[in-house]
Amino acid sequence: MSEQQTKLMDEEMNTYRVQGFSCANCAGKFEKNVKHLPNVQDAKVNFGASKISVYGEVTVEELEKAGAFENLKVAPEKTTRAPAAEDKEKEEKVPFYKKHSTLLYSTLFMALGFVSMGVNGNGNVVTALLFITSMLVGGTSLMKTGLQNLVRLEFDMRTLMTVAVIGGVLIGEWAEVSIVVILFAISEALERFSMERARKSITSLMDIAPKEALVRRGGQEMMVHVDDIAVGDIMIVKPGQKIAMDGVIVNGYSSINQAAITGESVPVEKFEDDEVFAGTLNEEGFLEVEITKLVEDTTIAKIIHLVEEAQGERAPSQAFIDKFAKYYTPVIMVIAALVAVLPPLFFGASWETWVYQGLAVLVVGCPCALVISTPISIVSAIGNAAKKGVLVKGGIYLEEIGALKAIAFDKTGTLTKGVPVVTNFEVISNKVDEQKMIAIITALEYRSQHPLAAAIMNKADEENVSYADIPVEDFSSITGKGITGRIDGFSYYVGNPKLFAELSKSSVDNKIENTVESLQKQGKTVMLAGTENGVEAIIAVADEVRETSKEALHKLHQSGIKKTVMLTGDNHSTANAIGGEVGVTDVRSELLPQDKLEVIKELKTKYNHVAMVGDGVNDAPALAASTVGIAMGGAGTDTALETADVALMGDDLKKLPFTLKLSRKTLNIIKANIAFAIGIKVLALLLVIPGWLTLWIAILSDMGATLIVALNGMRLMRVKEEE
């Protein structure tokens, strides 16, 4: 760890929400200004989430002074409220004409200028004053910042615009300069609006959970703000109400709509001891819920925090744009200077004509569309994914998913549910009926510590068979083979086929052997039950395959994933049976955790981009070694939320093909945006050759490109799971 990193760890880090960012360049300048404040060690702006993290001591007043060039408003981050909610409400009440009064007045003076031009002519003093007034009203803030940048030799879009405006005024192009100023203001407003729309895909998550809850304390029910609710409080949730906090049901049962957290479209049945999440909807029953987490630790709070952090992680394409823009603006200024100077100096051309063309080049060179092309796409895509129950923890992972060629799946808890269930139960003997046989077997398993005992007890519970009160004498475990005990004077055995083969009076006939062999080939664990005189029942237990696994893998193969591998510690026959059922292209069985790591390394060598899908707790080395680590069951699983690059919140593998589609669409849109933003600049610059480029065409092309790029990026908010 570097000395700088050590110092930062020692400093207190505070996060503030920022209102007023109009562009990524402005966010970068604000970050730079904050870093130069006296007691600040470092600062990092998250443009996507409109936040800044500051290491060191700083006041809100100092931060707002650092952002005065953009009239930024800063407020400390609040966990339980939407960013600057009060300011937001006030802003919504401000009429349109007041909110955009500067732009409207500037447009009015420009219109009067054109009227005066028609009446009094172009050279009239009144005409000139009207256009100059229009420029001053609409462009004072722009030129103030631009001049400051010019003095500091900081070249950004405002610097370019300021030089162009001043140059236009000096050569007497009043009308065109006023049009340029107004169109630039409109372009910035559109850019701000489009980013705010994209951000709303995240900030809307903050409004999902109620800010108050009905809590029972000291025998009385009272409404309490979520900030004041403590762990252990009992929350009352009535039918039709949203759940305000994470907790465990202590009384009641209901159907809960968890779409806001997990993306599940179908409500989930919840009973006593089941976990519920803040922001989910109680559809039917009356619930009493014991609070298990403080408001800042709820699943929805963690999702919001992680998604906002993800917006701040620069994707590879964003890093390219940032680097490109750093050199792009000075190069444009040099090109503009050459266009203005070379033709008059060497070819005797008109100074006025080519200085005008040079100014138009400056305006064309504004990189607004280029700078916004990537962040708006990343923010829109990450926000859409979060609403569908997929938590992508950074632009880099969003891009990497689209390049995947191979995906490895852990079996237990990923392709399967991870909970063994009884799949087959067949009574062989005519001496005892099915219900009694289930009761006898379960009474024995009830006293067992075997991992499969729970599956048999669940089977009995489902069929309402009573077993806990059945007396069992001489119960004992036969290591590696099964269990035995006396019920109603008879010795009963439950165990594997080897156990019955060794019982002196018992013989396993061919029919039973064939049934056992057939079930084992299906990947099931087979147990026999009976007495010394023979087998009376066959029980098959298996880890049930998820309903979505086969469909998800089919869609992944259709999407062009070349290799899907199932990794498991199970034996070959069980692994092959399940692998064949779900449809993976390869099965690797009898693996230890280190073996799974080696498989991931092998796949990376061959396919370069490999994902590992696991439960987020086990298989950590394999998840870490993969290009993208994808965790199942993020909802309520802190480890999955914290360690994975991507978390599928609802245990739904069908979200994986959607994530792949979203990632590829994001990559395509980013590439298209970058190509279009650069292409439109090149096309406009080519108009310089015949001398057709004008200031208003230049700014119109920039504004049009910005608008098209923003709208194209925002399409990612509407990508659906099925189309």
Side-chain angles (χ1 to χ4, degrees):
M1 188 180 289
S2 68
E3 188 178 338
Q4 174 71 11
Q5 287 174 315
T6 306
K7 283 181 181 177
L8 288 179
M9 286 181 70
D10 293 337
E11 292 289 340
E12 184 182 357
M13 192 271 280
N14 291 299
T15 304
Y16 302 84
R17 296 199 175 271
V18 185
Q19 279 192 314
F21 281 143
S22 63
C23 61
N25 273 357
C26 306
K29 185 177 179 183
F30 177 55
E31 179 179 284
K32 192 173 181 181
N33 289 350
V34 173
K35 284 180 180 178
H36 288 151
L37 292 174
N39 297 317
V40 173
Q41 301 300 317
D42 196 17
K44 183 182 178 184
V45 163
N46 182 334
F47 178 57
S50 206
K51 298 192 329 189
I52 184 168
S53 299
V54 183
Y55 294 88
E57 294 180 13
V58 69
T59 63
V60 170
E61 290 72 23
E62 287 176 314
L63 290 173
E64 290 190 342
K65 190 176 179 183
F69 69 94
E70 185 79 345
N71 196 27
L72 299 177
K73 299 297 177 189
V74 181
E77 183 176 34
K78 296 177 183 177
T79 307
T80 61
R81 293 178 177 87
E86 296 84 358
D87 294 338
K88 186 177 171 185
E89 285 172 18
K90 290 175 187 173
E91 187 180 331
E92 285 173 354
K93 293 175 185 176
V94 177
F96 178 85
Y97 69 89
K98 284 188 178 180
K99 189 176 179 182
H100 300 286
S101 57
T102 303
L103 179 59
L104 292 172
Y105 283 129
S106 179
T107 306
L108 176 64
F109 282 114
M110 183 191 72
L112 292 172
F114 277 110
V115 171
S116 178
M117 183 189 292
V119 175
N120 303 315
N122 194 24
N124 185 268
V125 176
V126 175
T127 303
L129 285 173
L130 284 168
F131 282 128
I132 289 170
T133 305
S134 173
M135 281 184 287
L136 291 173
V137 170
T140 301
S141 172
L142 157 70
M143 287 184 281
K144 183 182 174 184
T145 306
L147 287 170
Q148 287 174 347
N149 291 349
L150 202 57
V151 170
R152 298 172 188 156
L153 298 178
E154 294 176 359
F155 303 111
D156 64 9
M157 60 187 74
R158 294 193 171 205
T159 313
L160 296 181
M161 290 301 301
T162 301
V163 173
V165 167
I166 293 169
V169 169
L170 292 175
I171 63 174
E173 294 290 344
W174 315 106
E176 288 212 38
V177 170
S178 65
I179 291 173
V180 165
V181 168
I182 287 169
L183 289 177
F184 183 74
I186 292 171
S187 178
E188 282 204 320
L190 287 171
E191 191 175 337
R192 186 185 291 112
F193 171 76
S194 59
M195 276 307 296
E196 283 175 358
R197 278 292 303 275
R199 287 188 189 113
K200 279 180 183 175
S201 64
I202 301 305
T203 56
S204 61
L205 288 173
M206 298 180 184
D207 300 324
I208 287 172
K211 301 296 179 277
E212 288 184 322
L214 184 63
V215 173
R216 184 185 295 133
R217 285 179 179 169
Q220 290 187 323
E221 294 181 4
M222 60 189 82
M223 290 299 295
V224 180
H225 193 278
V226 289
D227 286 338
D228 303 320
I229 294 176
V231 172
D233 276 343
I234 300 298
M235 175 175 63
I236 310 299
V237 189
K238 296 174 183 177
Q241 287 186 337
K242 278 191 175 181
I243 296 168
M245 301 283 285
D246 283 13
V248 172
I249 297 173
V250 292
N251 188 21
Y253 64 91
S254 183
S255 178
I256 306 289
N257 187 329
Q258 300 190 143
I261 303 293
T262 65
E264 294 168 285
S265 56
V266 180
V268 179
E269 293 292 324
K270 297 277 185 174
F271 303 91
E272 284 188 25
D273 298 328
D274 282 344
E275 192 173 13
V276 294
F277 307 112
T280 57
L281 178 66
N282 176 25
E283 293 197 338
E284 296 172 356
F286 182 91
L287 298 176
E288 293 183 10
V289 178
E290 183 179 340
I291 305 300
T292 55
K293 295 178 182 176
L294 296 174
V295 66
E296 61 268 22
D297 298 323
T298 59
T299 301
I300 187 68
K302 286 184 177 180
I303 291 171
I304 293 164
H305 173 73
L306 290 169
V307 171
E308 288 190 330
E309 290 303 305
Q311 293 175 333
E313 295 293 327
R314 281 183 167 85
S317 55
Q318 178 65 37
F320 161 75
I321 291 298
D322 291 345
K323 193 173 182 180
F324 182 81
K326 185 179 177 182
Y327 301 103
Y328 170 82
T329 310
V331 167
I332 285 291
M333 293 196 77
V334 171
I335 292 172
L338 293 174
V339 168
V341 172
L342 290 183
L345 280 180
F346 295 101
F347 303 104
S350 164
W351 278 98
E352 184 178 345
T353 300
W354 286 97
V355 166
Y356 177 86
Q357 290 290 304
L359 295 174
V361 169
L362 282 181
V363 175
V364 161
C366 279
C368 300
L370 190 62
V371 169
I372 201 176
S373 61
T374 300
I376 196 165
S377 303
I378 295 293
V379 169
S380 298
I382 287 176
N384 184 10
K387 286 188 172 181
K388 300 285 195 306
V390 181
L391 183 59
V392 184
K393 292 174 65 176
I396 185 168
Y397 306 117
L398 191 65
E399 291 196 9
E400 291 283 13
I401 290 166
L404 291 175
K405 296 290 185 292
I407 303 178
F409 296 86
D410 177 40
K411 180 188 77 76
T412 307
T414 302
L415 293 173
T416 65
K417 293 180 179 178
V419 179
V421 294
V422 174
T423 57
N424 302 80
F425 185 86
E426 184 181 343
V427 176
I428 305 296
S429 171
N430 296 323
K431 298 175 184 176
V432 62
D433 65 21
E434 185 174 311
Q435 295 284 301
K436 186 176 180 182
M437 198 68 227
I438 291 174
I440 290 169
I441 294 168
T442 313
L444 291 169
E445 291 290 355
Y446 179 59
R447 291 157 174 79
S448 167
Q449 299 297 314
H450 196 276
L452 300 180
I456 294 170
M457 286 189 284
N458 287 338
K459 167 80 172 173
D461 291 337
E462 285 172 13
E463 299 197 8
N464 295 316
V465 175
S466 178
Y467 56 85
D469 55 350
I470 295 176
V472 177
E473 299 172 346
D474 301 330
F475 175 84
S476 66
S477 176
I478 306 167
T479 306
K481 293 174 186 175
I483 53 176
T484 183
R486 288 179 66 80
I487 298 174
D488 295 335
F490 294 95
S491 292
Y492 285 93
Y493 296 84
V494 181
N496 57 34
K498 287 181 183 177
L499 172 63
F500 281 85
E502 292 174 6
L503 290 174
S504 58
K505 295 179 184 178
S506 173
S507 61
V508 180
D509 63 30
N510 290 336
K511 185 182 177 182
I512 293 174
E513 282 183 355
N514 291 337
T515 304
V516 169
E517 190 176 334
S518 172
L519 291 169
Q520 286 177 335
K521 282 181 179 177
Q522 294 172 37
K524 298 173 182 178
T525 301
V526 181
M527 294 180 284
L528 303 179
T531 66
E532 291 179 351
N533 296 321
V535 176
E536 295 185 355
I538 300 174
I539 314 111
V541 178
D543 183 1
E544 201 173 9
V545 172
R546 290 184 189 277
E547 297 84 353
T548 56
S549 296
K550 188 173 182 178
E551 183 185 347
L553 280 153
H554 177 66
K555 286 184 177 179
L556 287 172
H557 292 146
Q558 284 185 322
S559 301
I561 297 296
K562 295 178 181 177
K563 189 85 168 175
T564 52
V565 187
M566 187 181 83
L567 310 180
T568 179
D570 283 354
N571 61 62
H572 298 308
S573 60
T574 300
N576 288 330
I578 292 174
E581 185 179 346
V582 297
V584 290
T585 59
D586 192 10
V587 174
R588 305 290 181 91
S589 51
E590 299 183 2
L591 300 177
L592 297 171
Q594 58 265 34
D595 299 326
K596 293 181 182 180
L597 175 61
E598 291 304 316
V599 173
I600 295 296
K601 288 179 178 177
E602 175 195 323
L603 291 171
K604 280 187 80 174
T605 303
K606 187 172 181 180
Y607 296 100
N608 199 20
H609 292 82
V610 177
M612 171 69 187
V613 187
D615 61 10
V617 181
N618 303 319
D619 309 315
L623 283 165
S626 60
T627 312
V628 182
I630 302 172
M632 291 287 288
T637 311
D638 291 344
T639 311
L641 287 173
E642 289 162 12
T643 60
D645 304 322
V646 177
L648 306 180
M649 303 300 291
D651 280 349
D652 188 356
L653 277 175
K654 283 195 295 184
K655 303 289 182 186
L656 206 49
F658 160 72
T659 310
L660 185 68
K661 179 175 79 172
L662 180 66
S663 171
R664 288 176 177 173
K665 209 155 203 170
T666 303
L667 281 171
N668 290 337
I669 282 178
I670 287 172
K671 287 173 185 175
N673 279 351
I674 292 171
F676 179 77
I678 294 174
I680 204 79
K681 303 292 180 192
V682 172
L683 193 63
L685 288 172
L686 289 175
L687 295 177
V688 171
I689 297 170
W692 296 344
L693 186 62
T694 62
L695 285 172
W696 70 267
I697 286 178
I699 189 64
L700 202 59
S701 71
D702 182 69
M703 184 179 78
T706 301
L707 183 59
I708 290 169
V709 159
L711 290 173
N712 198 32
M714 287 164 68
R715 285 197 302 127
L716 291 164
M717 288 192 284
R718 294 188 294 276
V719 175
K720 296 178 181 177
E721 292 180 55
E722 296 290 341
E723 284 190 353

